[in-house]
Amino acid sequence: MSNNDLKGNGVNVARRRFLADTLRTAVGVGLVAVTLGVYQRQARALPATAIRPPGVTDEKSFQSACIRCGLCVRDCPYDTLKLAELGDDVALGTPYFEARDVPCEMCDDIPCVKACPTGALNPALKEINEARMGLAVVVDQEACIAFQGLRCEVCFNVCPVRGKAISLDMQHNPRSGKHALFIPVVHSSDCTGCGKCEKACILEEAAIKVFPVALAKGMLGRHYRLGWEQKAEAGKALVTPDVPHQYNLPEGVSYEHGGRGLITGERPLPPTPPVAPEAPLSPFSSNPLDTLNRKGGL
Amino acid sequence: MEPGGRPGAEVIAQKGWFYAHRYLILRRISQLAILGLFLVGPLFGIWLVKGNLASSLTLDVLPLSDPLVLLQVFAAGHVPETAALLGGLIVLVFYLIVGGRVYCSWVCPVNIVTDFAEWLRRRLGIKGSAHFSDKTRYWLLGAILLVAAVTGSVAWELINPVSMVYRGLVFGMGLAWGIVAAVFLLDLFVGRRAWCGHLCPVGAFYGMLGEAAVLRVSAVRREQCDDCMDCFAICPEHQVIKPALKGADKGIGPVITSGHCTNCGRCIDVCARDVFAFSTRFSNNSRQAVSGVNQKSEVSS
């Protein structure tokens, strides 16, 4: 073997080793990167009970901005927020709270948002009632005692946006035939997702729960239009014109939809637009303590 | 160093254990003191520093943020608020002066774990070591920024052992002890200095800052070197020593200019000949003239 051959082989071996090394490193790092990417996708799936602090609109943009420093946790005066530890289902190191555990007290000055150095908690949020941390849902109508006709209304009374985020719908109680059901109904227009209703629910397992908005909220198809809204907007019916219903009634007798019913002995009136019945007096005091401290059954 | 002996045995014999570990002790004090500043808040309610190494607020005035974490946020497509940007800038300037990997040796808590693994490796005589390319950390650094850009998320912080340990200590560990154990076992059994010296992308990033750093270790009295190899044995990035220590003939100055040098000062600790000292990048040539050696290299350079 000549010296030249030796040298050539040496270069070849070195080059081969370099290429093999580079390839090995690239493949190894590539595998790590792909695994990390897949793991990241999974980490974006927020468990239903994990609620983000105020100022988070969607999980994806939050995870592009949160650096997991915990400054929001430190400035939370009620120890509501915590950072996800390794082993939790929430993306590692990110802040969240569980409403049944400690709900958000909705501080007026929103210290958690002020503390955030990166804007992961959007500093544009100035009014805590505008926060949409989650959305309360009456998840179990079988367990909720209001559906059994029992007076509870605790969720309604503890709600910081009282009367707006949760209202009580009075319905007929078909079991007794003579009582009312006061059904809690959550309104997404006002619910901040603070979780005080879930925390306060008197059941062993809460019948009203706060979920991340993306989980809780449905959406009408974008093409869908509600006929009566369109009609109100346009000032007239857009599809078929409204024709007053023709009743086949004896002479001198008419029927009125507005509430009078069958009318006899009068000249038939032109049909009047239905008048909204006067809102019944609310059975609920404006002071939540009145109902919360109420003694005895109703 | 005697064959099989411990690095620094000579200086311990001459000047005592404390002298031979002075920078190590200072580094441990520094690492634990910084951790202590973060911990007195949650433990005793004395809020000097809030947050963790990703971002913190000292005395409700001084924001500090990790520039690498912010780089990931940028890569993920979010522009951080002023507090984080200002904090990142302060940290960036600080490490550009004192040496990027001062973060590794004087602040990072994982360093204590990997130093312990290395010490145990030496004491137990564990020889075998998997080969990781020195460049792996740069590949990983590129990969984590790429993953951040592709997923639009600060993904690396899901598994970053460095931030995980710190956050764990300050906010609650969960299963993060497993990650600490994994790094320890990796360094103990799989490869010498595998994590800090070859893989860690955080170290790679700070190493890049170190390429321009002012504060540097210098082999100021390299003519006194008696080739005992103690500094090579103790150095976590021992490839950085040779050019400075043995480069006199090639006209290379005595300052260790590589960004990989963590300014840990262990070479200063273990050298019985006082070859090394802290110095600055700018004294790379003047020192030679002062010490009156390397005339040849000065002429040639």
Side-chain angles (χ1 to χ4, degrees):
Chain A
M1 208 184 280
S2 75
N3 261 355
N4 245 353
D5 281 350
L6 260 179
K7 196 183 166 199
N9 277 343
V11 170
N12 262 340
V13 168
R15 183 182 298 158
R16 251 180 242 161
R17 188 173 296 154
F18 170 76
L19 286 175
D21 251 23
T22 307
L23 191 67
R24 210 166 60 120
T25 309
V27 169
V29 171
L31 281 176
V32 170
V34 169
T35 313
L36 182 59
V38 172
Y39 180 45
Q40 161 54 34
R41 277 298 182 82
Q42 287 174 352
R44 215 174 267 159
L46 200 59
T49 51
I51 305 301
R52 293 296 187 195
V56 177
T57 42
D58 69 297
E59 188 62 15
K60 188 172 184 293
S61 57
F62 173 68
Q63 287 205 19
S64 75
C66 175
I67 58 172
R68 300 127 208 252
C69 65
L71 283 171
C72 53
V73 173
R74 287 293 178 244
D75 279 10
C76 174
Y78 298 98
D79 288 336
T80 302
L81 293 174
K82 52 190 174 182
L83 290 188
E85 296 174 3
L86 193 63
D88 293 343
D89 288 336
V90 183
L92 179 72
T94 55
Y96 73 106
F97 68 95
E98 282 167 313
R100 189 66 162 170
D101 195 14
V102 191
C104 173
E105 295 288 340
M106 288 176 56
C107 313
D108 277 337
D109 52 345
I110 331 181
C112 49
V113 172
K114 279 189 186 155
C116 181
T118 63
L121 310 183
N122 192 348
L125 180 75
K126 302 284 184 208
E127 173 56 50
I128 190 63
N129 280 357
E130 303 293 319
R132 293 294 176 267
M133 297 169 262
L135 180 59
V137 180
V138 182
V139 284
D140 192 349
Q141 307 193 351
E142 293 173 345
C144 175
I145 63 168
F147 286 82
Q148 318 306 314
L150 300 165
R151 299 291 303 269
C152 172
E153 294 129 34
V154 168
C155 53
F156 167 81
N157 279 310
V158 298
C159 179
V161 200
R162 191 169 179 273
K164 288 185 190 161
I166 300 178
S167 64
L168 292 173
D169 268 23
M170 191 158 60
Q171 293 176 14
H172 176 61
N173 181 349
R175 181 183 59 81
S176 72
K178 56 185 174 184
H179 297 102
L181 306 177
F182 293 101
I183 302 297
V185 178
V186 180
H187 303 277
S188 64
S189 54
D190 289 285
C191 176
T192 64
C194 71
K196 298 206 81 166
C197 51
E198 177 177 346
K199 172 69 179 173
C201 179
I202 61 155
L203 302 188
E204 191 76 23
E205 176 74 39
I208 186 167
K209 287 179 180 170
V210 175
F211 295 134
V213 176
L215 268 181
K217 191 91 184 81
M219 194 176 78
L220 208 58
R222 288 183 199 284
H223 65 284
Y224 208 91
R225 301 288 178 273
L226 298 174
W228 55 91
E229 284 180 359
Q230 298 295 307
K231 184 175 153 190
E233 223 173 85
K236 61 176 171 101
L238 295 169
V239 191
T240 43
D242 273 343
V243 179
H245 189 83
Q246 298 296 318
Y247 294 96
N248 196 9
L249 296 169
E251 193 87 10
V253 178
S254 61
Y255 192 88
E256 200 248 312
H257 272 298
R260 294 175 63 196
L262 208 60
I263 302 162
T264 50
E266 262 184 41
R267 269 189 57 220
L269 292 166
T272 49
V275 183
E278 225 173 273
L281 278 178
S282 171
F284 308 103
S285 155
S286 62
N287 178 5
L289 290 178
D290 291 348
T291 35
L292 282 175
N293 295 335
R294 178 176 65 205
K295 285 207 176 80
L298 268 174
Chain B
M1 183 174 62
E2 304 295 315
R6 295 162 58 188
E10 197 183 344
V11 73
I12 293 173
Q14 283 175 11
K15 297 182 173 163
W17 188 90
F18 279 101
Y19 186 83
H21 293 85
R22 58 195 188 280
Y23 279 111
L24 180 66
I25 293 166
L26 279 176
R27 287 199 295 120
R28 292 292 177 262
I29 291 173
S30 160
Q31 287 162 328
L32 295 175
I34 292 168
L35 182 59
L37 286 176
F38 281 101
L39 281 175
V40 290
L43 290 183
F44 307 112
I46 305 164
W47 292 104
L48 302 172
V49 184
K50 289 190 282 196
N52 58 36
L53 287 184
S55 195
S56 65
L57 191 61
T58 303
L59 297 171
D60 283 327
V61 190
L62 175 70
L64 294 173
S65 297
D66 185 335
L68 176 59
V69 175
L70 293 186
L71 206 57
Q72 294 176 65
V73 171
F74 277 118
H78 176 84
V79 180
E81 294 293 311
T82 322
L85 291 177
L86 183 64
L89 192 69
I90 294 170
V91 171
L92 199 68
V93 169
F94 175 76
Y95 284 115
L96 278 172
I97 294 168
V98 301
R101 292 201 64 192
V102 160
Y103 176 83
C104 300
S105 58
W106 293 78
V107 179
C108 180
V110 177
N111 170 265
I112 302 175
V113 176
T114 57
D115 270 359
F116 179 55
E118 167 65 10
W119 177 83
L120 205 59
R121 181 173 251 270
R122 231 173 14 240
R123 298 307 291 268
L124 296 177
I126 298 170
K127 292 277 183 247
S129 176
H131 170 71
F132 297 101
S133 161
D134 256 4
K135 303 274 184 289
T136 312
R137 44 184 151 190
Y138 293 115
W139 285 81
L140 272 172
L141 179 59
I144 64 169
L145 293 176
L146 190 69
V147 171
V150 170
T151 63
S153 156
V154 190
W156 166 245
E157 299 305 315
L158 286 172
I159 57 167
N160 180 2
V162 178
S163 56
M164 196 186 299
V165 169
Y166 225 85
R167 193 171 45 240
L169 290 169
V170 180
F171 286 91
M173 266 299 198
L175 305 177
W177 289 116
I179 300 293
V180 179
V183 170
F184 176 73
L185 294 174
L186 175 79
D187 268 31
L188 183 59
F189 293 116
V190 180
R192 179 177 184 267
R193 297 283 183 190
W195 179 254
C196 300
H198 298 84
L199 301 178
C200 180
V202 182
F205 173 79
Y206 281 98
M208 288 163 83
L209 296 186
E211 294 292 344
V214 177
L215 182 69
R216 298 278 68 182
V217 172
S218 174
V220 277
R221 284 172 286 276
R222 55 186 174 183
E223 72 283 359
Q224 294 180 14
C225 173
D226 65 351
D227 297 333
C228 75
M229 298 291 281
D230 275 8
C231 55
F232 281 91
I234 206 76
C235 180
E237 299 276 354
H238 51 85
Q239 77 279 9
V240 307
I241 292 180
K242 196 179 169 194
L245 186 60
K246 297 295 167 190
D249 295 339
K250 293 174 194 148
I252 302 171
V255 173
I256 297 174
T257 50
S258 166
H260 288 314
C261 171
T262 67
N263 277 0
C264 72
R266 286 296 280 149
C267 52
I268 308 175
D269 274 352
V270 299
C271 183
R273 300 282 180 279
D274 289 329
V275 168
F276 298 98
F278 275 114
S279 169
T280 70
R281 143 177 321 275
F282 309 116
S283 52
N284 206 3
N285 291 315
S286 60
R287 284 269 169 182
Q288 293 171 0
V290 169
S291 62
V293 290
N294 280 326
Q295 301 295 346
K296 202 176 89 187
S297 68
E298 276 207 322
V299 170
S300 64
S301 63

